[in-house]
Amino acid sequence: MKKLEGLIEAQQLDAETMWEIFRIADEMQAVDYDPILKGKIIQLFFYEASTRTRFSFASAALRLGAEVISTENARAFSSAFKGETLEDTMQVISRYGHMIVLRYDKEGGAKRAQQHATIPVINAGDGPGQHPTQALLDVYTMIQKFGKLEGLNIVLAGDLLNGRTVRSLCYLIAKHFPKNKIWLVSPSLVRMRDDIKEFLTRYQVDWYESDTLDGILEGADVLYQTRVQTERFDEEKERSLLERIQQEASHLFINVEMVERMKKDSIILHPLPRKTEIRFRVDNDQRAWYFRQSDNGVAIRMALLKMVLLGY
Amino acid sequence: MKKLEGLIEAQQLDAETMWEIFRIADEMQAVDYDPILKGKIIQLFFYEASTRTRFSFASAALRLGAEVISTENARAFSSAFKGETLEDTMQVISRYGHMIVLRYDKEGGAKRAQQHATIPVINAGDGPGQHPTQALLDVYTMIQKFGKLEGLNIVLAGDLLNGRTVRSLCYLIAKHFPKNKIWLVSPSLVRMRDDIKEFLTRYQVDWYESDTLDGILEGADVLYQTRVQTERFDEEKERSLLERIQQEASHLFINVEMVERMKKDSIILHPLPRKTEIRFRVDNDQRAWYFRQSDNGVAIRMALLKMVLLGY
Amino acid sequence: MKKLEGLIEAQQLDAETMWEIFRIADEMQAVDYDPILKGKIIQLFFYEASTRTRFSFASAALRLGAEVISTENARAFSSAFKGETLEDTMQVISRYGHMIVLRYDKEGGAKRAQQHATIPVINAGDGPGQHPTQALLDVYTMIQKFGKLEGLNIVLAGDLLNGRTVRSLCYLIAKHFPKNKIWLVSPSLVRMRDDIKEFLTRYQVDWYESDTLDGILEGADVLYQTRVQTERFDEEKERSLLERIQQEASHLFINVEMVERMKKDSIILHPLPRKTEIRFRVDNDQRAWYFRQSDNGVAIRMALLKMVLLGY
């Protein structure tokens, strides 16, 4: 019996652990309520609001009978917090429960938290850094569709500079599923950063970069669309930059006509929330898998909570 | 065994269902804790803050052993949410629990939510639209006092244009309790909208409109007072309009002297929160029933949760 | 079997009750989860954000099997609340649970709340007023270290004008532990108010006032450090005042060199959150007891919840 010590980055997982997460997630799909974590307290500590991710973790915890303590938006609320270090906060709240799920607004927050917390930490997104549970559910969804994650053309489209889900996803795919092709399609101003490209290269993943979906869409098995992360820009100072990015990004927006050009057996994913980058009419197409992908988040998080608190 | 499918508008209820809600609410009055909803997850999704209503639903859920996931103020918190449609959000969170209690800041939100959620939705107020659980507890309180809701003079006073509780209440009374007289007493600038007046007329309710309580107060069985909904006005642009309304509304404020003119057997209701429209000294009068009315909210909401999740 | 009726001020406690709280807190140190409060609903009603204190109470409640309803920041959220009195709110929410834990932003709030609530109220801090559960855990921590609280040199340092924890602590020490010396060390602009000094004098506590730690630090058994309560100042109008206070306060900041001058057997406490008034390197010194002190908060609060809801 092992216990997962927490989850900070997607790339920390070895293959065995990752497959165990997916196996337990499969089991969890059928669990509506099973209080195996009775008496455990899970703290959802969100420095920035992310109602969706917070609800998803809360649902996972409550379905397993755990208790939840939650803050929606610690950064905005408490003037006292503005002057306190993350390190102090993590040390203090370690006494309050059995586990911390942390959303932080700066890269590297989860790792710093883990160093000072005396209970396990799961990273629920740290600024432009990582969002490993999202990457897990993304990969899980692809495997759910194709049975395996091999030999696929995976197209990542949108704001690849600021989107943390695509970063975590690249790490996970490169490390455990190298025999795929990855297409990085973004406005030129928000290209994927070099660290990820180097990681892909180091793990011998075939990757390509483009600012258009033309000629790429038709061969895609997975089209992973993302939105422009407008909240990472300064509304005043970077307005014109942001407008240029959104103008360029609009060429990547998916409508029904574009979906028609895709393979019958392909799927469209999106970490949500969606703005206009996938048109609503696309929802009715059988290739639209983003709500199913989102649904998988609960099972993945149930699996992680069990593996951290009870073991596997 | 039937299940209530949710609750969007007061007028959707047939008489049989409404009386069943009241009957079960009567039973719930005696229930301090009875975990019949163990393992059920109820999501309190509030786009605008309403701590009172949220706590009331949370109390109802927890007393029946259900679990609660909650957001206090989704609109203000999450920049991401600003760009996401209500429809997408409802579809996503349907996976997170067994039921959604929605507070929305625009009319029609609850109906739109119901169309996209795959689990039941209860409307906890949608902008100037409806607030059906409030209307139910209002009617329930009148019946608690008078044994039936028939032959009464019901005076609705205050900001009738923007107050959603009076709207839902009119719908419910007109549909199921037509043999009453309704007095719509408001500043001329915030009169009840025509749709409600037409509904009352269609259901053959005697209704009257006035901008003063003089001559009306003395015959009232129920005086239902409301506050000016200042949050529905633009603080800057509509300041002088708001001041005029509040000036006019102040003639309708209830003080001890006015209460003395009312019948001994009458009651004063208010959906709360109260500002200055009922003076604090009125609280000690036996006709002041607004806190008792508020207390009834928990029993009504317990009844609804049971009827939606377990059936009746 | 008695029940604690709530807790508004530190000085309301008689010696017997206080020692009973400490005795039960000792027992609670070993309790990870024991659902003796199953079916009880505890309302955490925070008018201003204090994530730390809220989490600590939530943890205490959940460890004992109670349910929690919570608002993080009622003042900021709800425009409706801005116009409602605390008295009305307390009366209304009394129906929603079995107990209220109140954080209020003005002195005297807890007492006003208790007068209108029909269920027990625990004061979790009311503006610059009191914070009695903090005072209890502070005293409890000193006793944990020294076996008793007698014959000690207790140095309170920092912003003694606006820090409510030092106020509650003085009340509790004066009333039940008079045979100690208290040193009030603060910038001259934020000295301890006269009411507390008079209370100390009335209870025959030896107390001294200073604006420097020189000559005091060396004899201290307990150094209780606090931060400047910047949130109590107007950012615009009082900026230069605040800067002067912080400049003076900086002479009281504790670094490793200062700790070296302290007795081997002394302890350093702090109500947290800490800003710069205790340097991070001090954390590794065995005299740094502030995280242990914070940990004790859960046991103290568990004891109080049990004594209020079940009795002792």
Side-chain angles (χ1 to χ4, degrees):
Chain A
M1 195 80 161
K2 286 183 289 186
K3 276 190 181 177
L4 196 60
E5 285 179 17
L7 182 59
I8 305 303
E9 298 178 324
Q11 65 267 40
Q12 82 182 60
L13 295 168
D14 59 32
E16 192 192 359
T17 308
M18 191 198 60
W19 283 107
E20 190 65 12
I21 294 170
F22 294 160
R23 192 190 62 75
I24 298 176
D26 278 344
E27 290 175 10
M28 292 297 178
Q29 296 281 11
V31 175
D32 185 54
Y33 179 67
D34 183 12
I36 57 174
L37 298 183
K38 196 80 217 152
K40 299 298 183 188
I41 297 173
I42 294 167
Q43 303 182 70
L44 308 181
F45 209 96
F46 279 52
Y47 277 84
E48 60 176 17
S50 175
T51 309
R52 177 188 307 283
T53 302
R54 195 171 58 84
F55 268 45
S56 176
F57 272 106
S59 178
L62 296 174
R63 285 178 191 281
L64 297 178
E67 303 294 343
V68 169
I69 308 179
S70 177
T71 180
E72 294 197 45
N73 202 347
R75 180 71 67 194
F77 286 169
S78 179
S79 61
F81 264 106
K82 286 175 192 166
E84 184 178 59
T85 61
L86 175 64
E87 284 79 0
D88 271 16
T89 305
M90 291 301 111
Q91 189 154 344
V92 166
I93 72 168
S94 289
R95 175 66 176 90
Y96 299 159
H98 301 91
M99 185 176 161
I100 296 165
V101 175
L102 178 74
R103 176 71 154 240
Y104 199 64
D105 50 1
K106 289 188 195 68
E107 193 163 352
K111 194 172 274 181
R112 287 166 53 206
Q114 193 191 38
Q115 284 160 359
H116 283 77
T118 58
I119 57 176
V121 174
I122 288 186
N123 182 1
D126 51 352
Q130 287 227 8
H131 194 355
T133 63
Q134 177 73 44
L136 282 171
L137 75 91
D138 291 344
V139 165
Y140 177 77
T141 304
M142 296 182 205
I143 293 170
Q144 194 178 44
K145 166 67 183 178
F146 298 104
K148 58 184 180 178
L149 213 174
E150 210 181 293
L152 300 181
N153 288 309
I154 300 167
V155 180
L156 308 180
D159 174 0
L160 303 183
L161 176 64
N162 298 296
R164 70 191 142 202
T165 62
V166 286
R167 293 176 57 77
S168 288
L169 183 56
C170 281
Y171 277 124
L172 207 58
I173 292 176
K175 194 161 170 206
H176 298 303
F177 309 96
K179 295 175 187 166
N180 296 285
K181 288 183 179 142
I182 292 185
W183 308 77
L184 305 170
V185 182
S186 69
S188 60
L189 290 160
V190 285
R191 289 220 173 102
M192 181 63 85
R193 277 188 272 170
D194 286 342
D195 59 343
I196 296 288
K197 295 179 192 170
E198 285 157 13
F199 194 91
L200 291 175
T201 301
R202 178 147 35 103
Y203 279 81
Q204 300 178 293
V205 179
D206 279 344
W207 63 270
Y208 310 89
E209 197 164 44
S210 170
D211 55 8
T212 173
L213 285 166
D214 292 347
I216 293 171
L217 203 56
E218 292 76 2
D221 296 295
V222 177
L223 171 61
Y224 191 102
Q225 179 69 290
T226 65
R227 68 183 174 85
V228 176
Q229 304 276 316
T230 50
E231 70 275 25
R232 305 278 166 220
F233 293 84
D234 186 306
E235 261 183 64
E236 284 302 313
K237 294 177 195 160
E238 302 181 297
R239 179 178 301 191
S240 74
L241 170 66
L242 186 55
E243 277 171 10
R244 267 190 296 153
I245 293 167
Q246 286 182 314
Q247 170 60 24
E248 276 198 61
S250 68
H251 299 298
L252 309 178
F253 288 1
I254 306 299
N255 56 32
V256 172
E257 289 65 40
M258 291 167 82
V259 176
E260 301 282 303
R261 287 156 51 196
M262 293 177 67
K263 293 197 279 188
K264 282 278 173 244
D265 202 38
S266 63
I267 57 174
I268 302 165
L269 301 181
H270 190 300
L272 305 181
R274 151 177 68 171
K275 293 196 176 178
T276 48
E277 60 277 355
I278 299 179
R279 301 303 184 188
F280 295 114
R281 287 187 47 224
V282 173
D283 297 3
N284 300 319
D285 194 284
Q286 61 169 6
R287 283 161 284 205
W289 266 52
Y290 28 90
F291 288 116
R292 187 160 180 176
Q293 170 193 14
S294 167
D295 287 354
N296 283 334
V298 178
I300 287 287
R301 283 155 188 149
M302 288 168 85
L304 288 169
L305 297 185
K306 183 187 178 187
M307 293 167 75
V308 168
L309 291 168
L310 284 192
Y312 58 100
Chain B
M1 195 78 159
K2 286 184 288 186
K3 277 191 179 178
L4 196 59
E5 285 180 18
L7 182 59
I8 304 304
E9 298 179 323
Q11 65 267 40
Q12 82 183 61
L13 295 168
D14 59 33
E16 190 192 0
T17 309
M18 191 197 60
W19 284 106
E20 190 67 10
I21 295 169
F22 294 160
R23 192 189 63 75
I24 298 176
D26 278 345
E27 289 175 11
M28 292 298 178
Q29 296 281 12
V31 174
D32 185 55
Y33 179 68
D34 184 11
I36 57 173
L37 298 183
K38 196 78 216 152
K40 299 298 182 187
I41 297 172
I42 294 167
Q43 302 182 73
L44 308 181
F45 209 96
F46 279 51
Y47 277 84
E48 61 177 15
S50 174
T51 309
R52 177 188 308 281
T53 303
R54 194 171 57 84
F55 268 46
S56 177
F57 272 107
S59 178
L62 296 174
R63 284 177 191 281
L64 297 179
E67 303 294 343
V68 169
I69 308 178
S70 177
T71 181
E72 295 196 43
N73 202 347
R75 181 72 68 192
F77 285 168
S78 179
S79 62
F81 265 106
K82 286 175 192 165
E84 184 177 60
T85 61
L86 174 65
E87 284 79 359
D88 272 16
T89 305
M90 291 301 111
Q91 188 154 346
V92 166
I93 72 169
S94 289
R95 175 68 176 89
Y96 299 160
H98 302 91
M99 185 175 160
I100 297 165
V101 176
L102 177 74
R103 176 71 154 240
Y104 200 64
D105 51 0
K106 288 188 196 68
E107 193 164 351
K111 195 172 275 183
R112 288 167 52 205
Q114 194 191 38
Q115 284 159 0
H116 283 76
T118 57
I119 57 176
V121 174
I122 288 186
N123 183 2
D126 52 352
Q130 287 227 8
H131 195 354
T133 63
Q134 178 73 44
L136 282 170
L137 76 91
D138 292 344
V139 165
Y140 177 76
T141 304
M142 295 181 205
I143 293 171
Q144 194 179 44
K145 166 67 183 175
F146 297 104
K148 58 183 180 178
L149 214 173
E150 209 181 294
L152 300 181
N153 288 309
I154 300 167
V155 180
L156 308 179
D159 174 359
L160 303 183
L161 177 64
N162 298 296
R164 70 191 141 202
T165 63
V166 286
R167 293 177 56 78
S168 288
L169 184 57
C170 282
Y171 277 124
L172 207 57
I173 292 176
K175 194 159 171 207
H176 297 303
F177 309 96
K179 294 176 187 166
N180 296 285
K181 288 183 177 141
I182 292 185
W183 308 77
L184 305 170
V185 183
S186 69
S188 59
L189 290 160
V190 285
R191 289 221 173 101
M192 180 63 85
R193 276 189 271 171
D194 286 342
D195 60 342
I196 296 289
K197 295 179 192 169
E198 285 158 14
F199 194 90
L200 291 175
T201 301
R202 177 146 36 103
Y203 279 81
Q204 299 177 294
V205 179
D206 280 344
W207 63 270
Y208 311 89
E209 195 163 47
S210 170
D211 54 9
T212 174
L213 286 166
D214 292 347
I216 292 172
L217 204 57
E218 292 76 1
D221 297 295
V222 177
L223 171 60
Y224 191 102
Q225 179 68 291
T226 64
R227 69 183 174 84
V228 177
Q229 304 275 317
T230 50
E231 70 275 26
R232 305 277 167 222
F233 294 85
D234 185 307
E235 261 183 65
E236 284 303 313
K237 294 178 196 159
E238 302 181 296
R239 178 177 303 191
S240 73
L241 171 66
L242 186 55
E243 277 170 10
R244 267 190 296 152
I245 292 168
Q246 286 183 314
Q247 171 60 25
E248 276 197 62
S250 70
H251 299 299
L252 308 178
F253 288 2
I254 307 298
N255 56 32
V256 172
E257 290 64 39
M258 291 167 81
V259 175
E260 300 282 302
R261 289 157 50 197
M262 293 176 67
K263 293 198 278 189
K264 282 279 173 241
D265 202 38
S266 63
I267 57 174
I268 303 165
L269 301 181
H270 190 299
L272 304 182
R274 152 178 67 171
K275 294 197 176 178
T276 49
E277 59 278 356
I278 298 180
R279 302 303 184 187
F280 295 114
R281 286 186 48 225
V282 173
D283 297 2
N284 300 319
D285 194 283
Q286 60 170 6
R287 284 161 283 205
W289 266 52
Y290 29 91
F291 288 117
R292 188 159 179 177
Q293 171 194 13
S294 167
D295 286 354
N296 284 334
V298 177
I300 287 287
R301 283 154 188 148
M302 288 168 84
L304 288 169
L305 297 185
K306 183 187 177 188
M307 292 168 74
V308 168
L309 291 168
L310 284 192
Y312 59 100
Chain C
M1 194 77 160
K2 287 184 288 187
K3 277 190 181 178
L4 195 60
E5 285 179 20
L7 182 59
I8 304 304
E9 298 178 324
Q11 64 267 40
Q12 82 183 61
L13 294 168
D14 59 32
E16 192 192 359
T17 309
M18 190 197 60
W19 284 107
E20 191 65 12
I21 294 169
F22 294 161
R23 192 188 62 74
I24 298 177
D26 278 345
E27 290 175 11
M28 292 297 177
Q29 296 281 10
V31 175
D32 185 54
Y33 179 67
D34 183 12
I36 57 174
L37 299 183
K38 196 78 217 155
K40 300 298 183 187
I41 297 172
I42 294 167
Q43 302 182 71
L44 308 181
F45 209 96
F46 279 52
Y47 277 84
E48 60 177 16
S50 176
T51 310
R52 178 187 307 284
T53 303
R54 194 170 59 84
F55 268 46
S56 177
F57 272 107
S59 177
L62 296 173
R63 283 177 191 283
L64 296 178
E67 303 294 343
V68 169
I69 308 178
S70 178
T71 180
E72 294 198 44
N73 202 347
R75 181 71 68 194
F77 285 168
S78 178
S79 62
F81 264 104
K82 285 174 191 167
E84 184 178 59
T85 62
L86 174 64
E87 285 79 0
D88 271 16
T89 306
M90 291 301 111
Q91 189 154 344
V92 166
I93 71 168
S94 289
R95 175 68 177 89
Y96 298 160
H98 301 91
M99 184 175 161
I100 297 165
V101 175
L102 178 74
R103 175 71 153 240
Y104 199 65
D105 51 0
K106 289 188 196 68
E107 193 164 352
K111 195 171 276 181
R112 288 166 53 205
Q114 193 191 38
Q115 284 159 0
H116 283 77
T118 58
I119 57 176
V121 174
I122 288 187
N123 183 1
D126 52 352
Q130 287 227 8
H131 195 354
T133 63
Q134 178 73 43
L136 283 170
L137 76 91
D138 292 345
V139 165
Y140 176 78
T141 304
M142 296 182 204
I143 293 169
Q144 193 178 45
K145 167 66 184 178
F146 297 104
K148 57 183 180 179
L149 213 173
E150 209 181 294
L152 301 181
N153 288 309
I154 299 167
V155 180
L156 309 180
D159 174 359
L160 303 183
L161 177 64
N162 298 297
R164 70 190 141 203
T165 63
V166 286
R167 293 177 56 79
S168 288
L169 183 56
C170 281
Y171 277 123
L172 207 57
I173 291 176
K175 194 159 171 206
H176 298 303
F177 310 95
K179 295 174 187 167
N180 296 285
K181 288 183 177 142
I182 291 185
W183 308 76
L184 305 170
V185 183
S186 69
S188 60
L189 291 160
V190 285
R191 289 220 173 102
M192 180 64 84
R193 276 188 272 170
D194 287 342
D195 60 342
I196 295 288
K197 295 178 191 170
E198 284 157 16
F199 194 90
L200 291 174
T201 301
R202 178 146 34 105
Y203 279 82
Q204 299 178 293
V205 179
D206 280 344
W207 64 269
Y208 309 89
E209 196 163 46
S210 169
D211 55 8
T212 173
L213 286 165
D214 292 348
I216 293 171
L217 204 57
E218 293 77 1
D221 297 297
V222 176
L223 171 60
Y224 191 103
Q225 179 69 288
T226 64
R227 68 184 174 84
V228 176
Q229 304 276 314
T230 50
E231 69 275 25
R232 306 276 167 222
F233 294 84
D234 186 307
E235 262 184 64
E236 284 302 313
K237 294 177 195 160
E238 303 182 296
R239 178 178 302 193
S240 73
L241 171 67
L242 185 55
E243 278 171 9
R244 267 190 297 153
I245 293 168
Q246 287 183 313
Q247 170 60 25
E248 275 197 62
S250 68
H251 299 298
L252 309 178
F253 288 0
I254 307 298
N255 56 33
V256 171
E257 291 65 38
M258 291 167 81
V259 176
E260 300 282 302
R261 288 157 51 196
M262 293 177 67
K263 293 198 279 189
K264 282 279 173 242
D265 202 38
S266 63
I267 56 173
I268 302 165
L269 301 181
H270 189 300
L272 304 181
R274 151 178 67 171
K275 294 197 176 178
T276 50
E277 59 277 356
I278 298 179
R279 301 303 185 188
F280 295 115
R281 286 186 48 224
V282 173
D283 298 1
N284 300 319
D285 194 283
Q286 60 170 6
R287 284 161 284 206
W289 266 52
Y290 29 90
F291 288 117
R292 188 159 179 176
Q293 170 193 13
S294 166
D295 287 354
N296 283 335
V298 177
I300 287 288
R301 284 155 188 149
M302 288 168 85
L304 289 169
L305 297 186
K306 184 187 176 185
M307 292 168 75
V308 169
L309 291 169
L310 284 192
Y312 59 100

